[in-house]
């Protein structure tokens, strides 16, 4: 299961001879992202704080009229530090503490924009379909304690923070939303983006708690490029990525929570396809952890009350293993290796945003996209009296 | 270059120990497609006729009210048998002969629907930007010699034939199109599908010869399921796949011609992403071959007159290597290994089409797709006065 491979890339590096390895990597990953030199202080801090730290960079051609627009993004994946039956306030505090110490290392690495995993301040408890205490993890996007915590981090480290949380919308009937708060490096709340597509699959009973996002596809202009946030299950919907891109996103984050048995073979495909199809950078983040006694690491996505999974199986108490493997894909079809499948991690990626337009000018997907035709075809296809274009003998 | 790896899968099988290999394959390919037992006569014919023959199958759960709908598709990839300066009629005849002998083996394997590579009756000569003799390879889709050839094959073998050719449209100013002709197993021409997106990249100067297809996204109802044809560069456009799927396609073929330096790392991503996103089977086919003296195989995508590639490089006479690697992806995110990167090949894949609706009912991408929102957003986005949704501090 989860633990039998630390990471796909390390496994290949162990076994495939160097001569073939470079060809394998080229076919699997495109022109290889180069390793980024990270400061020794950061490397030793990561060892000490027990998380996987990796750094890569994507370059662009020099241009005459535009300077390179080099930014560093940080993707953070983590287990929940406390069991799910600890007090809510203590669980949140432990998560704040853990993220704070990883963000400090991100700052040592010169990260400009950091993104955490989906619903990062809580266990991914939607498997239970219970309300209390899980709904108590919800907070105001504008001025909840987690947003205030992130504002401090942002200001202290001059870093844009993307903070995906369970939102309590006090203005609209105290409803819940799955929301990413975007905080400027100045410390102000730039705005928020809501999960546009909500799963009803396996243990991901999220439609029990919140509805499809109603904010469209906002893109946030930061000093470090224009960013969008496509939350979790939205990565399965190519149109969701497309609209963030059409609104101008150069980097699209995909904070997620997904498990091995369900989606691991789809994980390397979808965010990378989106980077290719939209000439942008995509940053896929998945949490890690499950109970795993054999390997000696224990995370706590494990619940007091048993629940069933709609698959005919017995009631059980764990959600399966979140496989981490966070990665960044570039517009030229290349990608970084993934972070650990089992360990907390920080992926630092330096990118020259000029690459997006360079690749777009080469491949021309926006120019050749024929959106006018598709707008018409989709408008027809959603009509109740739509007749599919089927040709019969 | 091309020849240093026969296939990615064979390389991994050579080097990765069995215990880890199954995990590597699961992460890379999903639940593994099972090997399909092929008749010994077919296997020996393939050896004798010098092409790679592989067979896999995808199963579905049994249902109470629907019988399994098991069909076999055949994907054929091939080099051009004669040099590009041979007489046009001789080149076409040699290709007909080569395809006929591979289709015979497909028939031995019980293939119900076969698809050939893009513009299969000619060298992929659009790199030259010359007209004669290349435009002489164009034929009527309805009653050209290649269509008549395919009608005979279809009737003889009770097989649906998808035949992508360069089309000469006699009714509309003798214009050229990049077109797939779909021939029913009864031998009649069911219809045609045109390439909807035309590349302007590297040596793929196709927009010099023909325009974007004007037939929309037709789907063909055959006794072996509903099929669509997304030609080559259309695989980069998620909306193209989507509209074939919305029109009801259960299998979407992607006959292609693409080269290693340009697209090889994108190849495993795009058709597979489309299978996932649209809950359907996708069949990606790429031609093989280039001049490659070192390995002793010679194909002839090599031209008399030198041409430049728009990359500042010297004029040259070859198009680079087509890397084959044809594969089938299933709606559950799994896929077959690829055919050879260097050798002609036939991939036979048995699939239970019931898998599509089963996966759709599980993952619900159509149900959660919010096409109404996207129809509106796209309609706005194409307006000249569109204002992107960008939030600034």
């Amino acid at each position: 299961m989860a633990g039998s491979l630390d990471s796909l890339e390390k496994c290949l590096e162990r076994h495939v001879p160097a001569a073939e390895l470079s060809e394998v990597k080229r076919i699997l990953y495109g022109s290889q992202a180069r390793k980024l030199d990270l400061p020794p202080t950061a490397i030793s801090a990561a060892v000490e704080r027990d998380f996987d730290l990796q750094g890569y960079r994507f370059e662009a051609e020099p241009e005459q009229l535009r300077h390179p627009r080099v930014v560093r993004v940080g993707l953070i994946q983590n287990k929940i530090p406390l069991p799910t039956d600890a007090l809510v306030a203590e669980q949140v505090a432990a998560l704040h503490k853990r993220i704070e110490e990883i963000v400090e290392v991100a700052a040592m690495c010169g990260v400009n924009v950091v993104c955490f995993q989906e619903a990062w301040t809580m266990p991914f408890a939607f498997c239970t379909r219970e309300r209390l205490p899980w709904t108590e993890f919800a907070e105001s996007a504008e001025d909840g304690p987690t947003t205030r915590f992130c504002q401090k981090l942002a200001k202290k480290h001059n870093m844009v923070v993307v903070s995906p949380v369970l939102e309590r919308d006090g203005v609209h009937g105290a409803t819940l939303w799955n929301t990413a708060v975007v905080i400027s490096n100045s410390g102000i709340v730039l705005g928020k983006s809501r999960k546009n597509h909500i799963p009803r699959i396996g243990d991901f009973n999220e439609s029990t708690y919140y509805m499809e996002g109603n904010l469209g596809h906002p893109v946030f202009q930061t000093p470090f490029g224009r960013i969008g946030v496509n939350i979790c299950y939205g990565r399965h919907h190519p149109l969701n990525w497309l609209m963030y891109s059409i609104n101008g996103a150069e980097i699209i984050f995909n904070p997620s929570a997904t498990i091995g048995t369900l989606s691991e073979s789809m994980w390397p495909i979808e965010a990378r396809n989106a980077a290719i199809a939209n000439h942008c950078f995509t940053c896929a983040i998945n949490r890690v952890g499950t109970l795993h006694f054999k390997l000696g690491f224990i995370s706590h996505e494990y619940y007091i009350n048993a629940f069933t999974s709609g698959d005919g199986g017995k009631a059980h108490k764990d959600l399966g293993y979140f496989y981490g493997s966070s990665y960044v894909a570039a517009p030229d079809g290349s990608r970084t290796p993934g972070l650990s499948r089992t360990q907390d991690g920080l992926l630092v990626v330096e990118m020259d945003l000029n690459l997006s337009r360079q690749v777009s000018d080469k491949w021309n997907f926006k120019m050749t996209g024929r959106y006018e035709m598709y707008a018409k075809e989709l408008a027809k296809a959603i009509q109740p009296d739509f007749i599919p274009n089927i040709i019969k003998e």
Side-chain angles (χ1 to χ4, degrees), chain A residues 6-55:
Chain A
D6 44 0
S7 94
L8 180 68
E9 295 76 18
K10 285 183 188 162
C11 170
L12 298 181
E13 280 167 11
R14 273 196 298 273
H15 300 299
V16 180
E20 285 169 84
L21 185 63
S22 69
E23 191 69 347
V24 166
K25 283 190 177 176
R26 183 187 65 78
I27 295 173
L28 284 179
Y29 292 141
S31 63
Q32 271 189 258
R34 295 190 186 186
K35 287 231 176 187
L36 182 65
D37 285 333
L38 297 175
T41 48
I43 293 167
S44 61
V47 172
E48 191 183 295
R49 296 170 194 192
D50 189 26
F51 64 87
D52 182 21
L53 173 64
Q54 296 188 41

Side-chain angles (χ1 to χ4, degrees), chain A residues 246-320:
Chain A
I246 283 182
N247 279 320
E250 298 169 298
I251 307 169
I252 306 177
F253 292 97
N254 176 232
S256 295
T258 184
I259 57 173
T261 48
L262 189 63
S263 65
E264 190 162 3
S265 65
M266 295 151 75
W267 180 252
I269 303 298
E270 294 160 309
R272 190 163 164 213
N273 190 75
I276 295 168
N278 299 295
H279 306 311
C280 65
F281 291 93
T282 60
C283 304
I285 304 168
N286 186 23
R287 58 173 70 196
V288 279
T290 191
L291 268 181
H292 203 301
F293 295 108
K294 202 173 74 183
L295 284 173
F297 76 88
I298 297 184
S299 153
H300 305 276
E301 301 267 355
Y302 187 84
Y303 298 90
I304 294 298
N305 304 323
F307 54 90
T308 55
S309 298
D311 59 0
K314 281 189 189 161
H316 53 102
K317 296 186 170 189
D318 70 297
L319 187 44

Side-chain angles (χ1 to χ4, degrees), chain A residues 50-356:
Chain A
D50 189 26
F51 64 87
D52 182 21
L53 173 64
Q54 296 188 41
Y56 298 93
R57 63 194 170 104
F58 296 103
E59 293 169 343
E61 294 292 317
E63 299 182 20
Q64 292 189 30
L65 301 184
R66 293 196 303 180
H67 291 291
R69 291 184 304 137
V70 176
V71 304
R72 289 192 179 187
V73 301
L75 284 59
I76 295 180
Q77 66 178 33
N78 60 283
K79 297 190 276 285
I80 52 172
L82 292 185
T84 60
D85 60 343
L87 294 174
V88 169
E90 287 177 6
Q91 289 188 61
V92 174
L95 278 157
H96 282 196
K97 184 166 169 293
R98 180 59 169 157
I99 287 299
E100 185 167 22
E101 65 188 22
I102 302 179
V103 168
E104 277 174 11
V105 178
M108 294 175 200
C109 297
V111 163
N112 305 116
V113 185
V114 72
C115 182
F116 312 144
Q117 67 200 17
E118 182 185 19
W120 73 271
T121 60
M122 61 182 293
F124 214 73
F126 312 114
C127 49
T128 64
R129 290 179 290 116
E130 302 158 354
R131 298 313 198 266
L132 291 175
W134 318 122
T135 53
E136 294 195 72
F137 284 91
E139 301 183 25
S140 159
E142 285 71 24
D143 56 10
T146 294
T147 294
R148 289 200 305 273
F149 166 79
C150 292
Q151 289 179 287
K152 275 185 214 155
L153 286 183
K155 208 162 174 181
K156 178 175 178 189
H157 299 303
N158 188 31
M159 198 185 287
V160 171
V161 175
V162 180
S163 168
V165 295
L166 185 64
E167 179 192 3
R168 175 74 74 183
D169 181 355
V171 179
H172 298 96
T175 43
L176 298 176
W177 299 94
N178 187 316
T179 301
V181 185
V182 178
I183 294 149
S184 174
N185 56 314
S186 70
I188 71 145
V189 175
L190 203 46
K192 62 189 176 185
S193 188
R194 284 176 174 157
K195 185 167 179 169
N196 277 325
H197 301 268
I198 310 295
R200 289 100 166 130
I201 176 167
D203 284 329
F204 293 80
N205 301 306
E206 297 168 56
S207 67
T208 303
Y209 296 85
Y210 40 78
M211 297 292 285
E212 280 73 13
N214 59 353
L215 299 179
H217 298 84
V219 167
F220 302 92
Q221 175 74 62
T222 80
F224 314 112
R226 290 187 302 273
I227 67 176
V229 193
N230 174 349
I231 302 177
C232 196
Y233 181 78
R235 77 180 172 279
H236 306 301
H237 291 278
L239 276 160
N240 201 32
W241 297 101
L242 176 68
M243 282 313 306
Y244 288 111
S245 170
I246 283 182
N247 279 320
E250 298 169 298
I251 307 169
I252 306 177
F253 292 97
N254 176 232
S256 295
T258 184
I259 57 173
T261 48
L262 189 63
S263 65
E264 190 162 3
S265 65
M266 295 151 75
W267 180 252
I269 303 298
E270 294 160 309
R272 190 163 164 213
N273 190 75
I276 295 168
N278 299 295
H279 306 311
C280 65
F281 291 93
T282 60
C283 304
I285 304 168
N286 186 23
R287 58 173 70 196
V288 279
T290 191
L291 268 181
H292 203 301
F293 295 108
K294 202 173 74 183
L295 284 173
F297 76 88
I298 297 184
S299 153
H300 305 276
E301 301 267 355
Y302 187 84
Y303 298 90
I304 294 298
N305 304 323
F307 54 90
T308 55
S309 298
D311 59 0
K314 281 189 189 161
H316 53 102
K317 296 186 170 189
D318 70 297
L319 187 44
Y321 66 96
F322 296 100
Y323 52 80
S325 307
S326 303
Y327 70 97
V328 172
D332 63 358
S334 61
R335 57 159 284 186
T336 69
L339 282 180
S340 166
R341 295 178 69 243
T342 55
Q343 196 190 0
D344 289 5
L346 166 65
L347 179 63
V348 178
V349 178
E350 180 179 289
M351 48 185 70
D352 184 343
L353 297 179
N354 284 354
L355 185 62
S356 295

